[in-house]
Amino acid sequence: FNLDTPIDASLNSEVALVARDGDDGSGGNLVGLLFSATGEANLKGRLGFDRNIGAAIHFVGSDINQWDAGRWYHAVGVLDPTAGITLYVDGVKQAYHSDPSTAPSQNNSQPGSLGQWGRLSIRHFKGKMDDIRIYDRALSAVEIQSLHGMRKR
């Protein structure tokens, strides 16, 4: 992704890159890659990978909270039904949550969205995205580093 304006810890509203919302009968079935503006102060401005299942919220945030306008970043969120969720930025593992209950639901018929949070048409991303990929399996760290290396050529 490439931002039109910089993002930092002063961010006052969440910004979504990729999201999928809906209810699978558990009270929620959400997954998204977004910049956080709420919650604990140390998460503000950080890129996060978010998985909500009913009332349970699993969020992992980037080490980075200063994002330059005009620079391309490579972001990957991995949802693994046995290992939990992991976030990578520019091929480097940022954070993970090892709760296997983060497995994706097969019952959600809601479409995914790019640049906004699902059907709600909120949390708009202002910038550019390129080479967006969605896999039907969890990628390994080696595969993610290889993808990041391909992007730099």
Side-chain angles (χ1 to χ4, degrees):
F1 63 90
N2 182 314
L3 301 165
D4 287 345
T5 57
I7 288 182
D8 60 26
S10 66
L11 186 67
N12 61 15
S13 65
E14 291 180 336
V15 177
L17 292 169
V18 179
R20 179 174 163 229
D21 71 349
D23 189 341
D24 63 0
S26 67
N29 181 19
L30 316 168
V31 63
L33 194 57
L34 65 139
F35 287 100
S36 181
T38 58
E40 299 178 33
N42 64 340
L43 295 178
K44 288 187 75 163
R46 297 188 189 281
L47 182 65
F49 188 47
D50 188 2
R51 173 75 172 119
N52 301 0
I53 307 167
I57 298 173
H58 306 284
F59 182 92
V60 292
S62 65
D63 296 336
I64 305 164
N65 74 348
Q66 300 286 328
W67 305 88
D68 299 326
R71 178 180 181 265
W72 282 98
Y73 295 92
H74 181 248
V76 178
V78 178
L79 187 60
D80 185 324
T82 59
I85 60 175
T86 309
L87 175 66
Y88 293 82
V89 175
D90 290 339
V92 177
K93 183 178 179 179
Q94 300 290 297
Y96 76 97
H97 186 297
S98 61
D99 186 344
S101 70
T102 58
S105 169
Q106 301 299 318
N107 300 326
N108 187 340
S109 62
Q110 298 299 321
S113 61
L114 301 174
Q116 69 181 25
W117 192 264
R119 298 170 293 147
L120 301 177
S121 189
I122 58 173
R123 302 176 185 162
H124 294 107
F125 174 72
K126 293 178 177 65
K128 300 169 186 73
M129 290 185 268
D130 185 39
D131 197 16
I132 298 163
R133 300 177 186 198
I134 299 173
Y135 293 85
D136 63 355
R137 63 181 177 81
L139 297 180
S140 70
V142 171
E143 289 173 307
I144 292 166
Q145 290 163 355
S146 176
L147 287 171
H148 174 64
M150 288 171 37
R151 184 189 69 83
K152 291 173 29 175
R153 291 182 193 153

